[in-house]
């Protein structure tokens, strides 16, 4: 009754995935044009057409969120995150 609703493992998972997301997104935002050989979208105005650069940033963020949603199903260090996914 006095235990925290968020366990140590949950804190570890949340902070670890947040750190991972921030690092990956920052790398893609600031080095994406070099990594993917595309035009830089950072210096365009707000009224400019969407760029491949920011499309990659957005899609990477969405895929990491889907990965996090699947991974968050297991709370106590279980390895098989897909176990019971069809139930």
């Amino acid at each position: 009754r006095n235990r925290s609703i968020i366990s140590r493992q949950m804190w570890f998972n949340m902070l670890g995935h947040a750190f991972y997301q921030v690092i990956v997104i920052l790398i893609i935002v600031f080095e994406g044009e070099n990594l993917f050989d595309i035009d830089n979208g950072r210096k365009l105005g707000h009224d400019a057409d969407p760029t491949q650069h920011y499309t990659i940033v957005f899609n990477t963020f969405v895929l990491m969120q889907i990965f996090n949603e699947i991974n968050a199903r297991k709370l106590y260090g279980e390895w098989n995150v897909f176990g019971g996914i069809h139930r």
Side-chain angles (χ1 to χ4, degrees), residues 10-41:
M10 289 178 187
W11 277 113
F12 178 76
N13 290 347
M14 287 188 295
L15 294 175
H17 199 269
F19 180 74
Y20 167 74
Q21 278 189 350
V22 167
I23 296 300
V24 169
I25 292 295
L26 285 175
I27 288 171
I28 292 175
V29 165
F30 292 109
E31 291 298 322
E33 64 270 8
N34 298 326
L35 292 171
F36 303 114
D37 194 28
I38 56 175
D39 291 333
N40 184 349

Side-chain angles (χ1 to χ4, degrees), residues 72-85:
R73 296 176 64 247
K74 302 295 183 178
L75 300 176
Y76 302 107
E78 297 98 338
W79 283 94
N80 186 6
V81 294
F82 297 108
I85 200 165

Side-chain angles (χ1 to χ4, degrees), residues 39-57:
D39 291 333
N40 184 349
R42 286 184 285 139
K43 295 180 180 147
L44 299 176
H46 291 289
D47 58 345
D49 290 333
T51 62
Q52 287 181 336
H53 183 212
Y54 280 124
T55 301
I56 291 172
V57 171

Side-chain angles (χ1 to χ4, degrees), residues 17 21 58-69:
H17 199 269
Q21 278 189 350
F58 175 76
N59 286 330
T60 302
F61 175 76
V62 169
L63 288 173
M64 285 192 296
Q65 289 301 319
I66 292 170
F67 171 75
N68 189 30
E69 186 175 335

